[in-house]
Amino acid sequence: MNNFDFDDFNLLDDSPRNASISIISDIDATKTNIFETEISEEKEIPILPLRNTMLFPGTLLPITIGRRSSLRMINEVSKSGEVIGVFSQKDDSVDSPDASDLYEYGVIAKVVKVLELPDGNRTALMQGFSRVGLKDAHDNGDYLVGHVFQATEMIPNNRDREFNAVVEACKDVAEKLYRSSEFRNFDVSFNLRNLSNKTFLINFICANLPVNNKEKIDLLRESNMTQRGFMLLGLLNREYQFVSLKASIQMRTQEDLNRQQREFFLHQEMKNIQEELGEDSESDIMGLQSRARKKKWNEKTREFFNREIGRLQRMNPQSPDYQTQYDYLDTFVSLPWNEGTKDNLNLKNAEKVLNQDHFGMEKVKERILEHLAVLKTRGDFKSPIICLYGPPGVGKTSLGKSIARSMKREYVRMSLGGLHEEAEIRGHRRTYVGAMPGRIMKGIQQAKSCNPVFILDEIDKLGQDTFHGDPSSALLEVLDPEQNSAFHDNYLDCDFDLSKVMFIATANNIGTIPAPLLDRMELIEVSGYLTEEKIEIAKRHLIPQQLNKLGMEGTGIKLTPAAIEKIIENYTRESGVRELDKKLNKLLRKLTLEYAKTGELQKKNIGEKDIETLLGPVEFTRDKYQGNDYAGVVTGLAWTAVGGEILFIETSLSKGKGQKLTLTGNLGDVMKESAVLALEYIKAHAETLSIDPRVFDNWNIHIHVPEGAVPKDGPSAGITIATSIASALTQRKVRKNVAMTGEITLRGKVLPVGGIKEKILAAKRAGITDIMLCHENEKDIKQIPEIYVKGVTFHYVKNVEDVWKFALLDEKVAKPIEFTIEEEKKEKD
């Protein structure tokens, strides 16, 4: 017996839940006084700690000896015949217990017999006597010894009707329990029927009760035998109800089952048992519940989740609805409810990051820094809904990623181009097959944060579908700071707070965005770049990025500013830098090919003269002012999706039956109306221009805008057309290097127009020095940085006559168109 790694006891019965404990059936308590054995409190007695079981007065318990100290004690007391104290351990895993590891109550016992088992182990038969309490205990070097005190028991006499009734009730329930299919212990049932001593009967049932020591010690602590009987009856009834419930479940499922039905029965049985015990051992449900406990939900959301997971527990795991419900709950707990990243509120760092990633864009950067300042001051604030609009390629989308990096937030991008279903935004209801959350909630789930920077790309290109709803209307709730704190996704079916998400929408043309949606967003214009700005962007960002992509870092390749400018002016036509990036990539690819073939570069400093060799012939010629040598040709300014452009309005006259106006150049309806308005105004004010009104009856007017393949529309060419017609009719020259933009009314009033910055850039590219526009556009000029307007003089006008006074010179190209005497005679004839 050198090694013992098993428990202090192993009951000889092979029942997994309970063990049969024999009892000395011929003992008479009144004669032997077994429950009140006298013991001296001054004398130390051996203490035997037990694991997983408890000895009661009057019972005989077989114990397999495992510890060496216990074996030495048993050998000693079996020879001397002295009594020992038997106490149960509080924690069965403790190998060397002291007094604090033992329950305070136990019994005095004697070793009746020591048996040598065939496997070499020894089993001691322990006879329990009176109930005692433990005062102290210590190790004497061989085993545990200590002082105990007598704990008397209040035993009713045989005529106590209440006690007799409790004993009989305990006996009846115990017999039914041990006759059930769960236990079927005939030895215990036999002893119950043959015991006449009621006190023995109570203790015997307590010892055989299929509960743990934590509940048994409460029985042993009770000194009043009647009260112990009541406590025992309650535990017996609980165990019997559990066994009966299990038997009832089994009876309800006794039928011919195929394989799937059998699996359902096993899960259902386990589920019903777990519901009664308040437990759940199914791994998937336990996983959901474990994740749910970590969520920062409010009471309403947690109640909703508990209700939904209750539905899952009641479902058959083999049914399709089970997987649908599980996927829904998995999505539910995967969302970052009130779990966001901490903002970096260092304003200097944020400004540094924004400047590193993007050149210019001062308005946007200023707005982000203002928001961070509010967060830093207040601590909490609803995120703004920003819409960045401007021509393509100016960096609107990439700016969102830079904002996320500067604030140390997660970044999510959602493309809205061509999206035409409301369900893409709000999700599908779970009643549909294949239902899933909307793309807003998917983005939040992907970010794993409730406060990411969320880019709604190309919001002006949302589609509409009569049969599938209007996605722009679904976005009204998302982009409203007063409503999105309780955003309702159809799939989620529970409100989610989007107020901490920083939504940044991008658009090229805000004219196509519905007015209610536009009203909810803070508009920030991101206009095109000057040539000088593009050169800086190419040097700081585009060229290093392309060298990194092509693996050519460290090769010493450099492009001179003149070379970059030539690429910008002659190989691209855009407001942004996307096409410039492609051209730089093409140029550097050719150098990469040369380097890969020869291992060296013939020329590392690329100048202006090398561009045509690497990129081929010039693709675009710069828009240039065409001079003022011809009457009726006036320079106008227009806004396009790729930035500002200059256009030329040409007017020619031809003799014929009058009052004929011809318009060519692929003009839209608005521009045609502007031409009709201009002509009518000139007819009404012919005297101001010294034009004979009869001219209009004998001359046809033809207005043309070059590049007829390009559609043109908009009201901003109104004053340009009026000046062109006036110049043609009077043959007066137009002032040199002048361009104009503005809408006119029938009264000749000049109205303001948009796209001023882009038009100014186009004018500067063409060499224009004077720009005429409505006086109400002066406020727009003041908001444009000085670098954009440098070198251009602005002339603000209120009506068309102000335009003519400045734009039309007294110098004439030819003789003015007149109504001659010959024509008058012909008219009379």
Side-chain angles (χ1 to χ4, degrees):
M1 299 184 65
N2 294 326
N3 295 307
F4 297 97
D5 55 357
F6 42 83
D7 288 347
D8 268 354
F9 85 99
N10 281 318
L11 300 181
L12 300 182
D13 194 294
D14 56 2
S15 169
R17 288 184 57 116
N18 188 27
S20 174
I21 301 178
S22 301
I23 190 165
I24 304 174
S25 57
D26 58 350
I27 290 180
D28 187 342
T30 58
K31 295 178 180 179
T32 60
N33 201 22
I34 192 171
F35 299 110
E36 296 183 2
T37 304
E38 295 295 335
I39 185 168
S40 174
E41 295 185 12
E42 290 78 17
K43 182 181 178 181
E44 285 188 338
I45 63 170
I47 304 296
L48 178 64
L50 298 183
R51 287 195 257 205
N52 295 325
T53 192
M54 190 169 291
L55 186 62
F56 279 79
T59 57
L60 183 66
L61 181 67
I63 301 173
T64 300
I65 308 303
R67 295 188 179 99
R68 291 185 180 181
S69 58
S70 300
L71 183 61
R72 286 194 290 268
M73 178 203 299
I74 294 299
N75 288 334
E76 185 176 321
V77 299
S78 62
K79 296 176 182 178
S80 64
E82 63 178 304
V83 297
I84 62 174
V86 180
F87 293 84
S88 294
Q89 291 183 204
K90 297 176 182 177
D91 185 357
D92 299 328
S93 63
V94 178
D95 290 327
S96 300
D98 54 22
S100 62
D101 296 317
L102 303 177
Y103 285 114
E104 70 274 22
Y105 283 98
V107 297
I108 291 296
K110 283 189 177 183
V111 179
V112 177
K113 191 173 184 180
V114 179
L115 304 175
E116 188 80 31
L117 298 179
D119 59 1
N121 293 327
R122 293 187 180 184
T123 296
L125 296 178
M126 306 296 299
Q127 172 67 60
F129 290 93
S130 61
R131 192 170 64 98
V132 293
L134 182 63
K135 294 176 66 176
D136 58 62
H138 64 276
D139 195 337
N140 67 357
D142 292 326
Y143 47 80
L144 202 63
V145 296
H147 295 89
V148 298
F149 62 89
Q150 191 73 44
T152 58
E153 308 228 278
M154 298 173 62
I155 302 175
N157 58 46
N158 291 331
R159 292 186 298 275
D160 190 324
R161 299 181 66 182
E162 183 182 34
F163 179 63
N164 292 336
V166 170
V167 172
E168 289 301 321
C170 289
K171 181 177 179 181
D172 291 342
V173 179
E175 284 186 358
K176 289 190 288 185
L177 180 64
Y178 286 102
R179 283 201 305 268
S180 66
S181 59
E182 179 74 12
F183 297 101
R184 269 192 205 288
N185 197 320
F186 297 108
D187 291 338
V188 176
S189 298
F190 176 79
N191 284 328
L192 287 173
R193 289 193 298 270
N194 290 278
L195 281 175
S196 58
N197 189 293
K198 294 180 175 56
T199 307
F200 279 164
L201 185 61
I202 292 294
N203 286 334
F204 176 72
I205 298 173
C206 288
N208 285 274
L209 191 63
V211 297
N212 55 41
N213 279 355
K214 291 181 180 179
E215 292 184 295
K216 284 186 177 181
I217 190 61
D218 292 333
L219 295 170
L220 190 59
R221 287 192 185 107
E222 182 55 58
S223 60
N224 189 315
M225 193 59 68
T226 303
Q227 291 301 320
R228 189 183 298 177
F230 276 115
M231 293 172 61
L232 175 62
L233 183 59
L235 294 174
L236 284 169
N237 279 321
R238 187 193 69 185
E239 294 299 313
Y240 182 67
Q241 287 175 8
F242 171 78
V243 172
S244 299
L245 177 63
K246 185 173 181 180
S248 176
I249 294 170
Q250 292 172 340
M251 288 297 294
R252 290 198 302 267
T253 55
Q254 289 300 318
E255 56 185 10
D256 294 333
L257 304 174
N258 56 28
R259 182 178 178 181
Q260 183 177 355
Q261 290 172 323
R262 176 178 173 79
E263 290 175 356
F264 169 70
F265 156 72
L266 294 173
H267 283 284
Q268 190 67 27
E269 180 185 11
M270 182 169 59
K271 187 185 302 180
N272 290 337
I273 293 170
Q274 289 165 351
E275 285 180 1
E276 291 297 323
L277 296 177
E279 300 175 354
D280 195 336
S281 60
E282 296 182 19
S283 59
D284 51 356
I285 296 179
M286 286 182 66
L288 289 173
Q289 290 176 327
S290 175
R291 291 159 63 190
R293 283 191 289 270
K294 301 175 184 178
K295 291 295 176 181
K296 301 174 183 178
W297 286 329
N298 56 36
E299 185 177 348
K300 183 178 178 182
T301 306
R302 190 167 295 280
E303 181 182 345
F304 179 85
F305 174 81
N306 291 336
R307 185 167 64 249
E308 291 298 325
I309 204 168
R311 289 181 58 194
L312 180 67
Q313 290 172 322
R314 293 189 295 272
M315 287 181 180
N316 175 13
Q318 303 304 318
S319 70
D321 290 342
Y322 179 89
Q323 189 60 42
T324 301
Q325 181 72 357
Y326 177 80
D327 291 342
Y328 165 71
L329 290 172
D330 183 59
T331 301
F332 197 93
V333 297
S334 297
L335 289 170
W337 301 81
N338 299 316
E339 300 167 9
T341 55
K342 187 177 180 181
D343 289 332
N344 182 3
L345 302 178
N346 187 329
L347 299 180
K348 290 184 179 179
N349 177 71
E351 187 174 12
K352 179 181 177 183
V353 171
L354 291 171
N355 289 332
Q356 280 178 349
D357 293 348
H358 290 83
F359 183 81
M361 298 188 179
E362 302 303 329
K363 284 185 180 179
V364 189
K365 294 176 182 177
E366 183 181 358
R367 181 64 184 88
I368 299 305
L369 293 175
E370 287 173 357
H371 177 65
L372 286 175
V374 173
L375 282 176
K376 186 174 183 179
T377 307
R378 179 171 173 170
D380 185 23
F381 190 65
K382 289 182 179 179
S383 293
I385 312 293
I386 296 173
C387 179
L388 307 178
Y389 70 96
V394 295
K396 299 184 296 296
T397 305
S398 61
L399 184 62
K401 188 177 290 187
S402 177
I403 291 170
R405 192 165 78 89
S406 68
M407 299 176 69
K408 288 196 174 178
R409 288 192 179 189
E410 297 297 325
Y411 170 81
V412 185
R413 176 184 168 273
M414 173 182 170
S415 178
L416 298 177
L419 191 144
H420 62 277
E421 286 193 33
E422 178 193 356
E424 291 286 338
I425 305 295
R426 288 188 177 277
H428 303 79
R429 297 191 182 279
R430 281 182 285 156
T431 52
Y432 296 102
V433 176
M436 55 185 174
R439 294 175 66 180
I440 297 291
M441 298 313 301
K442 278 186 178 178
I444 298 294
Q445 183 180 6
Q446 172 192 343
K448 298 179 180 178
S449 169
C450 68
N451 63 341
V453 174
F454 204 121
I455 303 298
L456 299 172
D457 214 6
E458 310 293 355
I459 197 172
D460 58 327
K461 297 174 181 62
L462 274 173
Q464 289 189 7
D465 193 322
T466 307
F467 300 101
H468 297 95
D470 182 7
S472 63
S473 299
L475 280 174
L476 293 178
E477 183 184 6
V478 176
L479 300 181
D480 191 339
E482 301 301 323
Q483 297 181 37
N484 63 11
S485 58
F487 174 68
H488 190 86
D489 185 275
N490 290 330
Y491 178 80
L492 198 63
D493 201 24
C494 185
D495 292 343
F496 190 91
D497 185 5
L498 294 179
S499 63
K500 297 178 182 177
V501 179
M502 177 177 279
F503 287 103
I504 299 179
T506 68
N508 298 129
N509 182 13
I510 59 175
T512 60
I513 303 175
L517 189 58
L518 198 63
D519 183 58
R520 283 164 165 77
M521 297 186 291
E522 181 181 341
L523 300 178
I524 299 179
E525 184 180 6
V526 183
S527 53
Y529 297 111
L530 290 168
T531 300
E532 293 80 5
E533 289 179 322
K534 290 182 180 181
I535 293 172
E536 286 299 317
I537 292 170
K539 288 167 58 179
R540 297 185 187 186
H541 302 288
L542 303 184
I543 294 175
Q545 288 173 7
Q546 290 296 342
L547 288 173
N548 181 40
K549 286 181 182 178
L550 299 172
M552 296 292 286
E553 288 178 311
T555 55
I557 296 176
K558 293 182 179 178
L559 274 74
T560 63
I564 299 172
E565 183 177 359
K566 184 169 184 177
I567 297 173
I568 294 168
E569 297 293 344
N570 299 122
Y571 291 88
T572 66
R573 178 170 286 179
E574 59 177 350
S575 291
V577 293
R578 185 172 289 144
E579 191 65 27
L580 173 61
D581 193 38
K582 293 178 183 177
K583 295 300 180 184
L584 290 171
N585 178 268
K586 180 179 178 181
L587 183 148
L588 294 172
R589 282 202 314 268
K590 293 186 179 297
L591 296 177
T592 304
L593 177 62
E594 178 189 344
Y595 185 79
K597 284 181 176 180
T598 63
E600 60 181 358
L601 293 170
Q602 293 183 356
K603 194 170 186 180
K604 295 182 179 180
N605 293 321
I606 308 301
E608 184 179 0
K609 295 179 181 179
D610 303 314
I611 299 301
E612 286 195 35
T613 305
L614 293 168
L615 293 182
V618 171
E619 298 179 15
F620 302 103
T621 55
R622 185 176 182 177
D623 292 331
K624 293 184 178 179
Y625 175 68
Q626 295 182 357
N628 64 342
D629 297 332
Y630 301 94
V633 179
V634 182
T635 305
L637 299 174
W639 180 93
T640 69
V642 295
E645 296 285 349
I646 66 169
L647 51 83
F648 302 99
I649 308 294
E650 301 176 349
T651 301
S652 66
L653 304 173
S654 61
K655 286 187 177 183
K657 192 172 182 179
Q659 299 184 353
K660 182 180 180 182
L661 175 65
T662 304
L663 302 171
T664 57
N666 201 352
L667 307 183
D669 292 337
V670 176
M671 204 164 181
K672 289 177 181 178
E673 291 173 358
S674 295
V676 174
L677 276 173
L679 180 58
E680 291 301 320
Y681 180 80
I682 291 173
K683 285 181 179 181
H685 298 80
E687 295 179 1
T688 305
L689 294 169
S690 301
I691 299 174
D692 192 328
R694 292 174 293 180
V695 168
F696 300 106
D697 297 328
N698 294 274
W699 293 85
N700 297 324
I701 299 175
H702 185 168
I703 300 174
H704 176 69
V705 183
E707 297 186 17
V710 181
K712 309 169 193 73
D713 200 7
S716 60
I719 62 173
T720 313
I721 295 174
T723 306
S724 176
I725 296 173
S727 174
L729 290 171
T730 60
Q731 290 295 299
R732 292 166 64 180
K733 280 189 175 183
V734 178
R735 188 180 295 272
K736 192 176 182 180
N737 296 325
V738 169
M740 57 189 71
T741 180
E743 182 182 358
I744 63 169
T745 68
L746 198 57
R747 294 172 294 156
K749 185 178 181 181
V750 180
L751 301 180
V753 292
I756 298 298
K757 182 179 176 182
E758 285 78 6
K759 291 175 180 179
I760 293 172
L761 296 182
K764 292 187 70 173
R765 287 198 300 266
I768 299 295
T769 59
D770 294 270
I771 297 177
M772 303 186 70
L773 65 167
C774 177
H775 70 284
E776 293 184 27
N777 282 124
E778 186 176 0
K779 63 181 184 299
D780 300 316
I781 301 297
K782 291 179 179 179
Q783 294 177 7
I784 298 174
E786 180 66 25
I787 187 174
Y788 290 94
V789 299
K790 187 177 181 181
V792 179
T793 303
F794 296 96
H795 304 272
Y796 304 107
V797 295
K798 293 184 178 181
N799 53 59
V800 177
E801 293 184 9
D802 294 339
V803 177
W804 292 339
K805 287 179 182 178
F806 179 80
L808 296 179
L809 302 175
D810 292 334
E811 181 183 355
K812 297 182 179 180
V813 178
K815 185 180 179 181
I817 303 299
E818 295 179 347
F819 184 78
T820 63
I821 297 174
E822 290 76 9
E823 290 168 343
E824 185 177 2
K825 287 181 179 179
K826 289 179 183 179
E827 186 179 277
K828 287 180 180 180
D829 294 340

